[in-house]
Amino acid sequence: MPTIDPESRLQVVVGVIKRPGDEYLIQQRPKGKACAGQWEFPGGKIEPGESSEDALVRELEEELGVGVTSCRFLTRITHDYSHANVLLNVYLVDEFGATPRSREGQEIAWNSIRMIRKLDVLEAVHPILDELEGTY
């Protein structure tokens, strides 16, 4: 299998939003999108010229109405889906303003890592969960 140049991958930011009690916000991909019905952490594409931190703030505001107050880099993951080759820049968001709410019609839920593992999640979610379990 050929190696994919990191520069040619779709640059994505992921926000792992954590609240007290070790619960994380997860959302279900809406109908009409690739992998519809599967669960993922919120985030999206990094726009040209945009830093990953700026993209994180923008995406969480657009998708959930959440203002990021405090975040830190967690990990970087590459994954090859049939529809896209992605580079995920993953951040842990442990302080945020406003209660997250669905702004794009997606289902959202707070769950423990153990419960998230029982959901039909995108393949790239598993290494994020592994990282969370190894860190906390």
Side-chain angles (χ1 to χ4, degrees):
M1 188 167 181
T3 303
I4 298 168
D5 176 21
E7 295 298 315
S8 68
R9 289 182 177 275
L10 181 63
Q11 303 290 310
V12 176
V13 67
V14 175
V16 179
I17 303 173
K18 180 182 179 188
R19 71 178 182 183
D22 292 331
E23 289 187 316
Y24 301 87
L25 189 132
I26 192 110
Q27 65 185 20
Q28 192 173 34
R29 292 186 58 83
K31 292 178 184 174
K33 289 199 172 184
C35 305
Q38 290 187 291
W39 292 83
E40 65 181 349
F41 291 109
K45 296 175 192 162
I46 300 172
E47 300 295 335
E50 187 176 43
S51 72
S52 56
E53 293 88 355
D54 288 343
L56 177 70
V57 169
R58 177 183 52 75
E59 286 288 345
L60 295 185
E61 173 60 36
E62 288 175 3
E63 291 182 12
L64 301 165
V66 168
V68 175
T69 307
S70 174
C71 70
R72 60 188 159 104
F73 180 78
L74 184 63
T75 191
R76 185 168 284 121
I77 298 167
T78 58
H79 190 79
D80 300 325
Y81 290 102
S82 61
H83 65 280
N85 301 312
V86 296
L87 173 64
L88 304 171
N89 297 280
V90 184
Y91 288 82
L92 179 66
V93 178
D94 49 11
E95 292 182 30
F96 51 93
T99 301
R101 64 191 187 287
S102 173
R103 295 180 86 182
E104 296 182 341
Q106 76 276 34
E107 292 292 321
I108 62 173
W110 292 99
N111 280 305
S112 66
I113 292 172
R114 185 174 61 81
M115 292 305 294
I116 293 171
R117 287 195 184 277
K118 294 180 180 182
L119 298 172
D120 180 17
V121 297
L122 291 175
E123 292 174 25
V125 169
H126 293 289
I128 297 171
L129 296 173
D130 294 343
E131 184 73 26
L132 290 169
E133 285 183 320
T135 306
Y136 302 96

